[in-house]
Amino acid sequence: MSALASAGTHEELILGSRAYCREAARERDLDVDFSLVDWEVSTRAKRRAAAVKRPKIRDATVGDPLAWDELDPRKRECTVSLTWAAFESFDTAEWASTLRHELIHVEQFQRFGTTDHGAAFKERAETVEASIRCPSFADAKYVLRCASCSGVVARRYRECDLVRDPDQYRSSCCEARLSCESKSGRDAVRRE
């Protein structure tokens, strides 16, 4: 964990994260073949702290082990993409939890040929003390609130239908209209 805390470059982040993941896999009995895992750092991601990039394998289902020997061996490879901004904003414990989250995805992919956030993932996450959701580390460009209770309903990082026309949607908390604020605090501009 000390290598994680002192990482100042992308290379150090990869080295420290990879070392931590090997240790976590041993200590928490995660079945991961690290020889099939590549690592990279993203400086563009804003909503995900990390991700497992993998090939899509048709008809693969979590819970149904895949017969890998029948597939091209390169399809077994995946890449763990680490988000630099998340690493910089998380404390060491949050980053370690994020890495364990990604290890579950790698483990599921290597066994089943796919991965998800379903019941099996949640159960495994509890076992290895991994977060289910990523803490926010970037400011959203738009914040949507319930017009009744002012609770935050959604955050958006780019313009979309919800941002352009929030009146067409209702909050799940109060079934009230939504208001949309831009990052600058002004109401989002509606296009007609």
Side-chain angles (χ1 to χ4, degrees):
M1 287 268 257
S2 63
L4 285 175
S6 62
T9 66
H10 293 185
E11 293 77 23
E12 290 172 344
L13 175 59
I14 289 171
L15 289 171
S17 295
R18 187 170 41 209
Y20 173 76
C21 285
R22 287 179 187 276
E23 178 184 319
R26 276 191 310 274
E27 290 177 356
R28 296 169 190 264
D29 199 29
L30 285 151
D31 187 17
V32 173
D33 181 347
F34 286 99
S35 70
L36 299 170
V37 180
D38 286 327
W39 300 79
E40 69 181 23
V41 175
S42 170
T43 56
R44 295 183 59 204
K46 293 189 178 7
R47 291 176 279 183
R48 61 171 174 79
V52 174
K53 297 178 179 180
R54 59 187 171 75
K56 304 291 185 227
I57 298 175
R58 220 170 84 183
D59 300 325
T61 307
V62 171
D64 187 14
L66 195 63
W68 284 105
D69 54 336
E70 298 172 12
L71 297 171
D72 179 344
R74 290 173 296 186
K75 288 198 174 206
R76 293 193 69 194
E77 298 171 359
C78 64
T79 300
V80 176
S81 181
L82 309 170
T83 302
W84 184 255
F87 168 72
E88 287 188 311
S89 69
F90 290 1
D91 64 29
T92 305
E94 287 173 317
W95 186 250
S97 178
T98 298
L99 292 174
R100 291 191 304 274
H101 175 109
E102 297 311 320
L103 281 176
I104 298 167
H105 284 304
V106 173
E107 181 182 58
Q108 281 189 337
F109 172 69
Q110 289 182 349
R111 182 154 188 221
F112 307 120
T114 192
T115 184
D116 62 22
H117 288 107
F121 183 94
K122 289 176 182 159
E123 184 178 314
R124 191 70 168 126
E126 187 174 309
T127 302
V128 302
E129 299 178 61
S131 60
I132 300 290
R133 294 192 167 269
C134 169
S136 180
F137 61 89
D139 292 331
K141 190 171 181 180
Y142 303 99
V143 176
L144 291 113
R145 295 183 180 277
C146 172
S148 180
C149 71
S150 298
V152 174
V153 173
R155 292 179 173 82
R156 293 293 181 264
Y157 296 83
R158 59 185 165 193
E159 197 171 308
C160 62
D161 289 343
L162 183 60
V163 168
R164 283 188 289 273
D165 200 4
D167 290 339
Q168 297 300 312
Y169 301 88
R170 297 288 178 254
S171 68
S172 57
C173 51
C174 302
E175 294 293 321
R177 291 181 142 181
L178 301 181
S179 64
C180 181
E181 303 163 1
S182 70
K183 187 176 179 181
S184 64
R186 296 174 297 183
D187 286 341
V189 177
R190 284 202 195 113
R191 295 192 177 133
E192 314 244 1

